[in-house]
Amino acid sequence: MISFSADDFFQCIVAKDKLSFWVELNSLIDFCTIPPAFLTLYLGTTWLGLRFIRAVRLNWFGDDVAAVKLISSHKMLNLSRTLCQFVSFWLTAGGLYFLVDNMSAENINCNKSPCGLSFWESLYFLFITLSTIGYGDKHPSNRESQIIVIFIIMVGLAVFASFMPALVELSQKPASYLGEYDDSKSSHVIVCGYITTSTVTNFMRDFLHPENENQETTAVFLNPTPPPEELQNLMHRHFYRCQYFQGSPLGGGDLQRVKCDTAKACLVIANKHSHEPDAEDAANILRVISIKNFRAQVRVIIQILNYHNEEHLFNVPDWNKIHGDEVICINELKLGLLGKSCLCPGFSTMVANLIMMSSFQPGSYNVSHDIIFISLCESKI
């Protein structure tokens, strides 16, 4: 208890908002557990009190394991989180039942200790009850215990049932990414090229922005290799707006599986940190040629690294800017913004703010003038 008290004291010192700190769940748990512990130490008793509430903190132990990356498997992470939640509820409910059973009117004047079920017997009784086995060797001995068991069962059945799907998922075979996309539910865009966890995270950050909530477009990622564990976790969190398929845009069969002919657009992402930019651009241009050969009317947006490779795209059959085909040269964009910033300081910041997704709450700040005139040193945007 001394270590918990010291931890609570130092967290209070470093907290920015002291009032919010005192009403946080962890602080409330400390209020219910630390004073009774010192009280029982002073009185020389072994009264449990509300110390069982500290088991609630086990709910976040699974997230701590994921944060330090002790477990990388997606299935094992789900299993550890579910297991921690179940154990936390089990210990907390067992302590609550033990307290109510031994503090009931029938057992309050009992000479032996404990008068009702012991703590371990309470855990055993709740586990048998929640698992619907019910041997009948242990049962509530008074009305107060019966009432608290009713509430524990109502919550516990849902917690216990949520533990089963995690076990079933662990025993299932790995997910296959060789299926076929169903384009009957919503429109979709295809993303291929350099597909990694970082590129997908950056793409989904803007794709799932609150301003795009009304759009029912799905992002379909096409990559020759299966997704790593971190990317699987990301896909699992956003399964309603993105899907992953193993395949190559250079193959007509794979383009058919992801329904390239009905896609709103195809995005080809480049590796901005490639040590061979010309080879990276050549690979992406081949992907564009394959997509255009499969479906000439599909809109293609491609990233390239070197500006002199743009001319190869203009020679691609059916490449048509009128239909929305776009090429984004990263180096040309960076150097152009840098040059404009030299002539007009702040230009690159303004453009970056215009193209980045952001939101604000109305009334969060006040604008002193209804109309703001921006002078860009007589430059044209």
Side-chain angles (χ1 to χ4, degrees):
M1 288 299 107
I2 296 178
S3 61
F4 288 126
S5 303
D7 177 68
D8 189 62
F9 175 74
F10 288 119
Q11 286 188 7
C12 178
I13 293 178
V14 300
K16 295 181 179 179
D17 190 349
K18 299 295 189 298
L19 181 60
S20 300
F21 171 78
W22 291 116
V23 296
E24 289 180 352
L25 180 59
N26 290 334
S27 299
L28 296 177
I29 292 175
D30 290 334
F31 294 154
C32 296
T33 56
I34 295 177
F38 285 108
L39 182 61
T40 55
L41 182 63
Y42 174 76
L43 297 177
T45 62
T46 57
W47 184 60
L48 177 65
L50 299 177
R51 285 181 288 173
F52 61 87
I53 299 180
R54 187 163 293 278
V56 174
R57 286 194 170 185
L58 288 176
N59 274 308
W60 303 284
F61 184 73
D63 296 330
D64 296 337
V65 171
V68 298
K69 298 182 178 180
L70 292 178
I71 300 177
S72 59
S73 173
H74 165 68
K75 294 182 178 180
M76 292 302 297
L77 283 176
N78 286 341
L79 180 62
S80 63
R81 290 191 180 103
T82 307
L83 181 61
C84 291
Q85 292 172 1
F86 173 75
V87 173
S88 173
F89 171 79
W90 182 35
L91 295 177
T92 306
L96 178 61
Y97 178 82
F98 172 75
L99 178 64
V100 173
D101 188 45
N102 286 271
M103 294 295 293
S104 62
E106 298 178 4
N107 296 328
I108 192 66
N109 297 321
C110 180
N111 294 325
K112 64 176 183 177
S113 180
C115 297
L117 297 180
S118 66
F119 178 71
W120 299 110
E121 289 175 338
S122 300
L123 293 179
Y124 166 77
F125 164 69
L126 290 180
F127 186 85
I128 295 301
T129 303
L130 294 176
S131 61
T132 68
I133 297 176
Y135 290 127
D137 54 341
K138 304 293 182 183
H139 56 83
S141 58
N142 50 73
R143 181 173 298 177
E144 292 84 352
S145 301
Q146 293 172 351
I147 294 175
I148 201 65
V149 165
I150 292 175
F151 289 101
I152 291 177
I153 290 177
M154 292 173 61
V155 180
L157 286 178
V159 176
F160 196 86
S162 65
F163 184 60
M164 295 297 105
L167 293 177
V168 174
E169 183 183 4
L170 186 63
S171 61
Q172 289 178 345
K173 295 181 180 179
S176 175
Y177 300 96
L178 301 176
E180 186 173 344
Y181 177 72
D182 183 9
D183 59 348
S184 61
K185 298 180 180 179
S186 63
S187 58
H188 68 290
V189 295
I190 299 174
V191 185
C192 58
Y194 186 65
I195 304 298
T196 62
T197 304
S198 60
T199 56
V200 172
T201 301
N202 294 332
F203 175 82
M204 296 303 294
R205 183 180 297 114
D206 283 344
F207 188 75
L208 297 176
H209 194 272
E211 298 294 336
N212 297 329
E213 282 184 349
N214 295 328
Q215 298 185 10
E216 297 181 354
T217 304
T218 302
V220 177
F221 295 91
L222 184 63
N223 198 41
T225 59
E229 293 291 341
E230 293 183 358
L231 188 53
Q232 288 184 29
N233 296 336
L234 179 63
M235 292 292 172
H236 184 75
R237 289 196 300 268
H238 306 297
F239 67 93
Y240 57 96
R241 291 292 301 275
C242 65
Q243 293 188 31
Y244 188 99
F245 292 91
Q246 186 176 351
S248 173
L250 300 179
D254 294 331
L255 292 176
Q256 180 63 37
R257 288 195 300 113
V258 296
K259 299 297 189 294
C260 181
D261 51 341
T262 60
K264 295 178 64 175
C266 288
L267 283 65
V268 183
I269 300 178
N271 180 11
K272 296 182 292 185
H273 306 290
S274 176
H275 298 291
E276 298 180 355
D278 288 330
E280 179 70 15
D281 289 346
N284 287 332
I285 292 173
L286 287 177
R287 295 184 178 99
V288 173
I289 295 175
S290 176
I291 294 172
K292 284 295 185 180
N293 288 337
F294 180 82
R295 180 70 173 177
Q297 290 76 17
V298 66
R299 182 188 180 191
V300 176
I301 303 175
I302 177 178
Q303 286 183 341
I304 63 174
L305 302 181
N306 291 332
Y307 70 94
H308 58 264
N309 291 321
E310 290 186 19
E311 59 184 20
H312 300 298
L313 286 169
F314 300 146
N315 296 326
V316 173
D318 301 308
W319 179 272
N320 194 340
K321 285 189 174 182
I322 299 178
H323 292 162
D325 294 337
E326 294 288 346
V327 53
I328 302 174
C329 180
I330 298 177
N331 288 339
E332 184 179 16
L333 183 62
K334 291 191 296 184
L335 294 176
L337 288 175
L338 182 61
K340 285 291 185 181
S341 297
C342 295
L343 299 175
C344 178
F347 179 82
S348 60
T349 303
M350 186 196 71
V351 173
N353 291 332
L354 288 175
I355 64 178
M356 290 182 64
M357 300 288 294
S358 60
S359 357
F360 66 94
Q361 297 294 333
S364 58
Y365 62 90
N366 297 322
V367 181
S368 57
H369 301 283
D370 295 331
I371 301 176
I372 300 178
F373 294 95
I374 301 177
S375 175
L376 296 175
C377 300
E378 300 180 354
S379 300
K380 293 183 180 181
I381 301 178

